[in-house]
Amino acid sequence: MNNQSSVEILTEWDIVAARQLGRNVAKELGFGTVDQARITTAISELARNIYLYAGQGKIEIQRVTEKGLNGIMIVATDTGPGIPDIRKVMEDGFSTSGGLGAGLPGVKRLMDDFKIETILGEGTDIRATKWLR
Amino acid sequence: MNNQSSVEILTEWDIVAARQLGRNVAKELGFGTVDQARITTAISELARNIYLYAGQGKIEIQRVTEKGLNGIMIVATDTGPGIPDIRKVMEDGFSTSGGLGAGLPGVKRLMDDFKIETILGEGTDIRATKWLR
Amino acid sequence: MVQIIESQYKEILAQYIREQSEQNLYAGQILSRQFLQENVQPEEVISMHKAALAGLHGELPDEVWHSFDLLIEMMISYGMANRERQSLVQKQEELRVEMDLASHVQETLLKTQRPEIAGLDVGVISVPSRAMNGDYIYFVYDESGSAGVAVADVIGKGIPAALCMSMIKFGLDSLNDAAAHPSDVLGVINRIVEKSIDDSMFISMFYGQYNAEDGRLTYGSAGHEPALLYRAETDTFEELRARGLLLGVSPKAKYEDRSVQLHTGDLVIAMTDGVTEGRTEVGFIDHEVIFDMVRHKKDASAQEIAEYLYEELSRMQQAELRDDFTLVIYKKS
Amino acid sequence: MVQIIESQYKEILAQYIREQSEQNLYAGQILSRQFLQENVQPEEVISMHKAALAGLHGELPDEVWHSFDLLIEMMISYGMANRERQSLVQKQEELRVEMDLASHVQETLLKTQRPEIAGLDVGVISVPSRAMNGDYIYFVYDESGSAGVAVADVIGKGIPAALCMSMIKFGLDSLNDAAAHPSDVLGVINRIVEKSIDDSMFISMFYGQYNAEDGRLTYGSAGHEPALLYRAETDTFEELRARGLLLGVSPKAKYEDRSVQLHTGDLVIAMTDGVTEGRTEVGFIDHEVIFDMVRHKKDASAQEIAEYLYEELSRMQQAELRDDFTLVIYKKS
Ligand SMILES: [Mn+2]
Ligand SMILES: [Mn+2]
Ligand SMILES: [Mn+2]
Ligand SMILES: [Mn+2]
């Protein structure tokens, strides 16, 4: 079962809109305050990466169901330059420093599932899911 | 200028007494709530190490003055087995795990100065100071 | 600085208490990122929060303020943990620099020169899965048209494996004979390895010796992945297998010499298991997959074929190399 | 589990609001340690605190609860940082295992055998400052009574230095001549080093060749710390210096042969700079300090003297070795 909605990220205001969308869906699905805060922080990080490094892209929020679990999936897609070295941006120690792709290991930790696909010159597609337990 | 007082560590109750002594002195010296909590946590860690691994020892609290700064020095001495490998216990990654000397890197970080001397079979002397700024 | 942060935080708190908007929370998150970067510890955040709330709502009852004092106490361990993280990040950075230097030293120490022999086109690729390579390629050749190649894989990865490589290099250096038989080369290196390293480390090696005068390749193997031979005339593949124990198992191990006649357009592809055992989403990589890739690119230069195989195979593994990846291609022209 | 922790926390909070005693805070700190060990993140602590306070004082006004919601948001980054720490600690543990294995491999790879020559008592100690040793001792000896020793120090520490050691070992192995002149040995190794490593790495080496037949020691040095000669008869010390560039600087470097006659009770102490440049609280360690220690222990065996020097000198450095520490002692009996 899928049910989606999305926010284009062009200005910093759109980051707030994406957070709000994510928080509403998370609340409706029954996530508690702490998980809501984690999900919106993950959305923030992904949306900020789009805003700062890709210039253009969008955040979709999907309700997902798998093996009897309900969850929320953040899909962040952009048509930016892509990430040259995924191994490097997924390494620890980068998550709290600045730079391209900052915070991706952090997003991975905040959520349950994390998947990234990137093609140089074409863009990046990140999917991060949190399951309701 | 030195001004001291001490607590023998024999039971877990003595850890609380050492904390109380340290907190009183810290408060009198003018340390704020956060620093008081850090100083007492450092005392706890040192006193627990004595209680758990050395069996017998004491915590002294000294008021110290150096180069115009006032400070508080925790002196933890014991007649326990000593620490076979100081380099190892001072390494990160041990501070939050269990075991002998657990928390020494943590104590070092909570305080400004830290000094340790240990002789196998004779005991350990640890001095940790925090300066009032 | 601290005072600016404190007043910023108080402002955000005041607004959030009034509005509870997403925007206030976003402002809070940005400030919190900044806290972390400026080494503000979590216990200090609680203390700042208490002070800000006291400034805004000083009339609140004592239990609220006491509750924050306990919370400060609860956060001290997290502050210690955070400082530990900072020191670990720094150590990791130092290690990264050290490993970069080490892999540079390894490269210079182990450098080998690609044979330049009439009628033989050589391609090479070797990509480590981590900072240091545990696969090794060594060439030796002479003016009479002999070209030997050793492809070795230390069982084990990282620094311990890298240390073993130099032993192989200096062993091969001491032989210094491009016309030596594979069985002899493997025998000598086996004794060095057996003598120098302990029982937990083993090395597999393929040794190929090409003679330009008669176009024959003589080869032997110490428990290594078979090499592939592509026959241009029939568009078919053969596996080049030879018997022999891994290097370092027994000083008495014996190695075989086998040989094949190469013809124009034939390709010999020696590799390590990192090439074939790369896992994809659907399982191990099949030899058939490699056959198709080679066929597709067979008319290119040996180096182009090697690079094409690496790109295609690493793409199939989602760029996550689990093992060092090494290929040598001899193409008879 | 979580529910037990929550009710424990609520209990502590209730008592602290009532009594504000040190004992409550101690209980809080112990619980907080436990939180950290069970991966309770700081944002969860705030949430738990809010729930506990709501259970105890539900009557508190809305601004209190809103304020906690902002605080949860502020703590998320610290939670991320804490998870990063956990992963870094784990990585460091893996690295520790790898380095232990690597230093074991290094030891087996580079092992050398202490000379057994009539009339010569040999002592050796070599302690790395980090996991891997960048100092190296190599012995070669034969039945005619020749005993060569090389004491080398790679400029640089850690893994890159360790990789260079094997080059020296295999270079010396290839010479395999206990009677070789120091100038020749240094010349050969210099050319290998110069060829194999890049311009940023250098190695210093002392080479001593003892001949049991006439009791003479011939020695040379490639930019290495001078060795010390203790004269038993006069109870005095001499420095054994010889000219020569560091290994790897220039392929044309020339090395000297110098020699001294040894008598019964004389000691030759070759060392790396980690022995003398150990910093104490008052500054560098003076040669005079070492002289006194040697005099104090001169009647003991060469090995006992070496160990005594290490223990005394490392104590003076507060056990914080900043450099690898290596000593070889030849004692003529
Ligand atoms: Mn391998
Ligand atoms: Mn392999
Ligand atoms: Mn060195
Ligand atoms: Mn040194």
Side-chain angles (χ1 to χ4, degrees), chain A residues 19 23 38 92-93 95 109, chain D residues 43-44 73 83-84 87:
Chain A
R19 286 175 58 108
R23 190 181 301 271
R38 285 173 180 156
D92 296 314
S95 68
R109 293 199 178 92
Chain D
E43 64 270 26
E44 291 163 332
E73 205 80 20
R83 287 193 192 88
E84 182 180 69
S87 131

Side-chain angles (χ1 to χ4, degrees), chain C residues 35-264:
Chain C
F35 282 177
L36 204 59
Q37 268 163 18
E38 292 179 9
N39 303 334
V40 178
Q41 303 303 340
E43 63 271 25
E44 290 163 330
V45 178
I46 310 292
S47 170
M48 202 184 295
H49 182 89
K50 180 187 168 192
L53 190 63
L56 297 167
H57 298 277
E59 75 285 357
L60 286 168
D62 276 352
E63 51 260 33
V64 173
W65 314 122
H66 293 327
S67 107
F68 282 115
D69 288 339
L70 179 65
L71 205 49
I72 287 171
E73 206 81 20
M74 298 299 293
M75 283 296 138
I76 299 281
S77 325
Y78 291 92
M80 268 199 278
N82 189 39
R83 287 193 192 86
E84 182 180 68
R85 177 188 63 87
Q86 294 165 314
S87 131
L88 286 167
V89 166
Q90 197 190 328
K91 260 199 205 153
Q92 194 185 255
E93 188 44 48
E94 288 166 12
L95 187 75
R96 203 195 310 273
V97 171
E98 183 172 334
M99 293 300 286
D100 282 352
L101 180 58
S103 83
H104 179 70
V105 168
Q106 191 193 24
E107 245 170 61
T108 354
L109 212 57
L110 301 183
K111 64 173 179 288
T112 183
Q113 216 191 331
R114 196 181 295 220
E116 286 171 17
I117 299 259
L120 184 69
D121 179 20
V122 180
V124 179
I125 193 157
S126 187
V127 182
S129 69
R130 289 155 63 180
M132 308 201 69
N133 205 333
D135 283 352
Y136 183 49
I137 297 169
Y138 182 91
F139 291 116
V140 56
Y141 65 101
D142 63 22
E143 282 134 33
S144 77
S146 282
V149 60
V151 177
D153 183 351
V154 178
I155 314 302
K157 274 188 283 295
I159 309 160
L163 286 167
C164 289
M165 300 281 92
S166 50
M167 178 180 52
I168 298 182
K169 143 99 174 163
F170 290 103
L172 289 163
D173 270 352
S174 71
L175 279 160
N176 194 28
D177 178 5
H181 290 297
S183 58
D184 292 336
V185 175
L186 293 170
V188 168
I189 304 300
N190 178 54
R191 284 187 294 278
I192 294 177
V193 170
E194 210 277 327
K195 211 181 61 180
S196 309
I197 59 176
D198 75 356
D199 298 345
S200 67
M201 289 207 98
F202 303 106
I203 296 165
S204 76
M205 187 184 281
F206 174 86
Y207 194 87
Q209 195 275 326
Y210 176 73
N211 186 340
E213 276 177 33
D214 58 8
R216 286 196 79 82
L217 176 88
T218 311
Y219 62 92
S221 171
H224 197 82
E225 194 71 9
L228 296 178
L229 170 60
Y230 171 73
R231 291 294 193 187
E233 207 188 351
T234 54
D235 193 37
T236 53
F237 284 87
E238 295 168 26
E239 285 188 348
L240 303 183
R241 290 180 183 273
R243 265 174 310 209
L245 288 177
L246 289 168
L247 303 172
V249 175
S250 156
K252 289 177 221 147
K254 294 268 173 249
Y255 298 95
E256 280 190 292
D257 281 321
R258 297 198 166 198
S259 82
V260 281
Q261 182 65 45
L262 301 188
H263 305 285
T264 301

